[in-house]
Amino acid sequence: MAGTVTDPTAAGPTDATAPEWWRTAVIYQIYPRSFSDANGDGIGDLAGITRRLPALADLGIDAIWLSPFYPSPQRDAGYDVADYCGVDPLFGTLDDFDRMLSEAHARGIRVIVDLVPNHTSSAHPWFEAALAAGPGSVERARYIFRDGRGENGELPPNNWQSVFDGPAWTRVTEEDGQPGQWYLHLFDSSQPDLDWENPWVREQFQGILRFWLDRGVDGFRVDVAHGMIKAPGLPDYTPPAEAGSMGGGTATLEPGMSGEPEDAPPYWGQEGVHEIFREWRRVLDEYPGERILAAEAWVEPLAKVAKWVRPDEMHQSFNFPYLETPWQAKPLRQVIDESLAAFSSVGAPSTWVLSNHDVVRHGSRLAVTADNLQGHGLGPRSKGLPDPEVGLRRARAASALMLALPGSSYIYQGEELGLPEVIHLPDEARQDPTWFRSNGERYGRDGSRVPIPWEADAPSYGFGPGSASWLPQPEEWATFARDAEDGEPDSTLELYKLALRLRREHGLGAGTLHWLDGFGDDVLAFQNGDVTVVANTGEASVALPEGEVLLSSAPGTHRTLPGDTTVWLARR
Ligand code: NOJ
Ligand code: CA
């Protein structure tokens, strides 16, 4: 992995030997505020990331994706951007960014940044100008301002609800002190939606892409890439009652959506989004190296997700249907088949993901015993709280399964340590807008965002130099600290390291999957190249075929495979 690239416009030292690196890459998501805090203010920062790059190189990942670090009032943890071309002082400076980028590249680690185009912060100068300029102005036309319904415009323009709960419209007070127009915000009221039908908006974002591409980034994860275009006339829409609200409600896997444009909710998955990505792709293709676009597109079915990754659009799209699948052999096999078929039909790699900063960590989620809608989170009053041991065992098995699949995998900081969701956060510590907008009815996403532990015996477990941590860390986290797991053969960290090394050595990311039958209903078994993978999602043990055990998610697996365990075997 060692490399010598110093040119920030080069994509990394592995370029020559790994064309289309993104087809097989393992991409590690850094949530900057919770990763590593260099200056001790309790919030992770860019200098903290730079300091920890050796640990990431040692883990064996190919790229990092950073959640937003741009200037922001932090009403939605940075997904409310007030300046797309800067760094919030909380996280450091542009120099800190450049240093982090060149040190990552020097280690062969590519860097993907988060682009948040659906909405700005209400503190963005564009929105401030829109408020000041008044109805009918060019400044307002950059956002989605409408007059209200009702006799005096006192009712919102339509019935849309915010993903974070409550109405998706807020009424402004005009210059004359009177209640005036309403603006659309699919998320928090501090996140007004831009009007992507407006060419001015499109032009600004071309400049923003170039700003980061010129600095040398390897790509963009595109936030809410399914929501940027709204149906003409903004018609009323009531989602089906059972619809989950994804990703802290970013959400939209709405059961019953056929994938046809006319069935899509008027704010998700509109056809018009694709033209935007084609424009962006042309910009990226002008740059040397392989710069990528990865879509956060919460749509279904997978055949529709595949539209985001047609050859002239994005490179990757997150596979949320896979993330949503329970730990059961039959639906897992089905979603894996559907994923491979859908993505390969457009020549794209499948991606895989189990955790991120919007969902309950899979170290807990896979053992929850009651329904738990995405975005609701887990807290002390939730039903079906998970048994931590079952959660960890399943998470290790699920990760070992995911990392053996052909395509590209995303891992979320801390899952390589086996971290569970933090369920018992005190109410007064919670910060997710979902918690406030639902009046505490939905816990939201804070439980997956607690700063991660590095050193068992240090204050804040080595997250920062002192004890400060923006969300409190649980007392029992010393056992999950990186230094406690490093070099311990049975630890989750060593399991991930081994999986990433073997995956590379055996070319699993570029491989082909062939199912093997005859292991019973609870088991998934397949061949990928010269590796046989067997995952037992049930309780009863099953006999294993011949072959040396290369990796097991449960230590001590030999001839029989216990429940909730995955093994990789060398084919004989
Ligand atoms: C998706 C992001 O992952 C989530 O954290 C954020 O709240 C919404 N988009 C709104 O930007
Ligand atoms: Ca800090």
Side-chain angles (χ1 to χ4, degrees), residues 263-339:
D263 289 338
Y267 36 82
W268 302 140
Q270 298 295 306
E271 279 299 293
V273 297
H274 298 292
E275 186 44 41
I276 303 170
F277 306 138
R278 287 189 196 108
E279 277 171 24
W280 291 3
R281 179 63 179 259
R282 289 195 286 274
V283 174
L284 264 73
D285 285 348
E286 286 174 25
Y287 282 79
E290 288 177 35
R291 320 293 180 102
I292 71 160
L293 294 166
E296 188 217 19
W298 287 98
V299 290
E300 81 171 355
L302 276 152
K304 181 159 184 174
V305 182
K307 289 177 140 192
W308 270 253
V309 287
R310 288 175 289 192
D312 58 348
E313 296 194 37
M314 301 216 185
H315 299 74
Q316 293 189 340
S317 187
F318 285 94
N319 190 341
F320 296 123
Y322 180 72
L323 181 151
E324 291 229 289
T325 305
W327 177 240
Q328 290 165 15
K330 204 171 158 205
L332 278 170
R333 180 167 168 165
Q334 195 177 333
V335 75
I336 291 169
D337 276 338
E338 274 176 31
S339 305

Side-chain angles (χ1 to χ4, degrees), residues 29 31 65 67-68 76-80 114-119 163-164 186-188 191 221-226 246-251 296 298 320 356-358 432-434 445 449:
Q29 181 191 354
Y31 195 64
W65 147 39
S67 281
D76 184 21
Y79 282 94
D80 47 327
D114 214 309
L115 186 74
V116 189
N118 178 69
H119 44 265
V163 168
F164 294 157
L186 292 179
F187 296 89
D188 189 55
Q191 295 165 296
R221 174 268 189 189
V222 181
D223 191 62
V224 199
H226 54 309
M246 283 275 183
T250 56
E296 188 217 19
W298 287 98
F320 296 123
N356 64 33
H357 64 295
D358 288 330
D432 186 346
T434 312
R445 304 160 292 176
R449 299 174 173 183

Side-chain angles (χ1 to χ4, degrees), residues 7-77:
D7 172 4
T9 61
T14 51
D15 256 7
T17 52
E20 306 213 311
W21 60 273
W22 44 276
R23 289 186 176 272
T24 59
V26 174
I27 303 177
Y28 183 95
Q29 181 191 354
I30 292 184
Y31 195 64
R33 60 169 42 233
S34 303
F35 184 68
S36 173
D37 172 20
N39 68 354
D41 64 355
I43 299 187
D45 41 47
L46 293 171
I49 297 173
T50 306
R51 192 160 79 86
R52 298 297 189 177
L53 286 172
L56 296 182
D58 184 46
L59 176 58
I61 47 110
D62 301 295
I64 51 180
W65 147 39
L66 268 58
S67 281
F69 48 78
Y70 315 110
S72 161
Q74 304 289 326
R75 291 279 296 273
D76 184 21

Side-chain angles (χ1 to χ4, degrees), residues 197-217:
E197 308 282 1
N198 184 333
W200 184 90
V201 169
R202 295 189 183 214
E203 225 179 280
Q204 304 312 303
F205 273 84
Q206 299 239 346
I208 292 162
L209 289 174
R210 288 182 190 282
F211 177 86
W212 293 104
L213 290 167
D214 289 341
R215 293 200 105 76
V217 303

